[in-house]
Amino acid sequence: MYEQNNPQEFMIRNHLKRFFEKWHADPDFREQVFTDSVQAASRHNLKVNIEEIRQLWDTEYASLQGDQAPISPTLEIYQKYFQQSDKKDFRANISTNPQYTAWRARQIARNDSLHKKAHHDAIVHASVAFELSKGCSVGCWFCGISAPRLEDLFLYTPENAKLWREVLELLKEILGPATKTGFCYWATDPLDNPDYEKFCSDFHEISGIFPQTTTALALRDPERTRSLLKLSRKKGCDLDRFSVLSLKILNQIHEEFSAEELAFVSLIHQNSESDTIKANVGRLRERNHKKAELSELSQEDDFSAQGTIACVTGFLFNMVDRTVKLISPCRASDRWPLGYIIFAQGSFSNIDDLRAILQRMIDEHMSPTVRDNDLICFRDELKYEKLPDGFQVSTKIMTRKFRHQNYLRELGEAIQKGDKPAAEIVGLFNLLGVPSDKTFQALNLLLASGCLNEEPRTKTLAYAR
Ligand code: SF4
């Protein structure tokens, strides 16, 4: 661990981190730095020479210096810790379940055509998320998943602890190592639940990973937060996150927690002065619609704006209600205002119920190949166009062409009509001399590339118990 190997360098790294936290959140601080960087650093107790990294915050200076800008010791530390990407590749955390793996891959391919690369790269497509409360006490006006008010908690009673551990074991059995990408919050704040740490410790014991925490309640009980950070680090989690809702809260967090204590905590700047642009989804989308200003409404068609904050392609549980949904991100729309598609949902009262529900979700929605009775049509967001030797489908982000085979032009037309199941299309092409396996192969390629519509045709109905 580098904090032990080189404490001086670690201290500078942490104060650099703190400098940029203030820089991105606070325009007054930026002005102070431009006026007198040494005084600004000392006023905020930043133990770092920010003149030595001037090219990182003063664009005019950086362009004058060009490639000739000196590499100072502080800049070297910055480059070592913040420019070398040591991001974990959650997308590579592949499940041992071939149906889930194929389904998740095509949801990722679908999302590739919906978001700018930088936005989609930030979506980890985690396998599972657990809500350990019903609702959230924070009530952020911009909440991208429109969390309702806090109503109830899933406490670590003997009965709940037993069910919790059974659920984790079941997911491990079904998903394999992909369970490690899970986490224990969604439209909830983890620290609303007084037993959150106990649930996370079980998660660690069963999956081998201590789940990442994101909380807006770091200041509610600083001693509890401190212990959670220590526990999380001790169990191997190397990044937790605090949501910062105002500049006042940022300053309080910086007063309460030292730069070292926040060494492995990323601050998410949600304050109005920060340079973060919020996604047009959930409560913020509702608000934008209410304002009914054309410029804001047009954000829906603006693919450069972030269209979701959802990051799970898999199972979303609410442990209070004992419900589970099969979800994957999409751009927020009237049908999916929270920025994720709900493919299926159900409720369970015990682990046997849950096993049956998850198996049904997998069997009904995650077939790796097209089945005879599947109605074949393109996704609604795709624009279809004929080509002389095939067809193409596109969004504002991406175009996919299928060509160089005589029958593809007719296949595109048949899919565009969207009124036939796979077996009927295959039969028609058989009459035209195209062997069944060739047509199925083409349909399977379209399925795998996320071009076929898999959304529920009607409102997602809950599986009955
Ligand atoms: S953004 Fe997070 S903390 Fe805020 S209301 Fe939504 S779930 Fe709660």
Side-chain angles (χ1 to χ4, degrees), residues 52 80 150 180 254 260 273 288 307 364 386 426 449:
E52 283 198 9
K80 178 172 169 186
L150 180 65
K180 292 174 195 268
H254 279 170
E260 285 67 33
E273 305 86 349
N288 285 342
E364 287 183 2
K386 285 187 259 185
V426 170
S449 55

Side-chain angles (χ1 to χ4, degrees), residues 6-48:
N6 195 335
Q8 176 65 14
E9 191 176 287
F10 184 59
M11 187 272 285
I12 293 172
R13 174 244 184 237
N14 296 335
H15 282 259
L16 273 172
K17 174 176 172 290
R18 181 157 289 204
F19 166 73
F20 283 108
E21 285 164 2
K22 286 193 181 295
W23 178 265
H24 290 301
D26 186 353
D28 287 346
F29 176 70
R30 292 200 284 270
E31 217 165 303
Q32 288 168 27
V33 171
F34 273 114
T35 309
D36 185 338
S37 64
V38 175
Q39 203 186 58
S42 127
R43 189 180 302 157
H44 295 277
N45 201 21
L46 294 167
K47 297 182 187 122
V48 63

Side-chain angles (χ1 to χ4, degrees), residues 256-310:
E256 181 64 46
F257 301 99
S258 69
E260 285 67 33
E261 283 176 316
L262 297 190
F264 301 99
V265 177
S266 174
L267 299 191
I268 309 166
H269 302 298
Q270 303 284 15
N271 60 304
S272 53
E273 305 86 349
S274 82
D275 48 16
T276 310
I277 297 168
K278 294 181 177 65
N280 183 39
V281 59
R283 216 129 59 204
L284 179 60
R285 180 174 176 271
E286 271 172 47
R287 199 174 154 126
N288 285 342
H289 274 225
K290 272 189 198 138
K291 279 188 189 168
E293 286 170 16
L294 213 62
S295 60
E296 281 165 307
L297 283 176
S298 69
Q299 277 188 27
E300 217 109 312
D301 300 325
D302 176 7
F303 274 53
S304 66
Q306 199 180 329
T308 184
I309 60 160

Side-chain angles (χ1 to χ4, degrees), residues 184-201:
C184 302
Y185 57 88
W186 186 258
T188 56
D189 192 289
L191 296 187
D192 273 333
N193 190 313
D195 296 331
Y196 173 71
E197 294 84 341
K198 291 179 189 158
F199 291 111
C200 289
S201 293

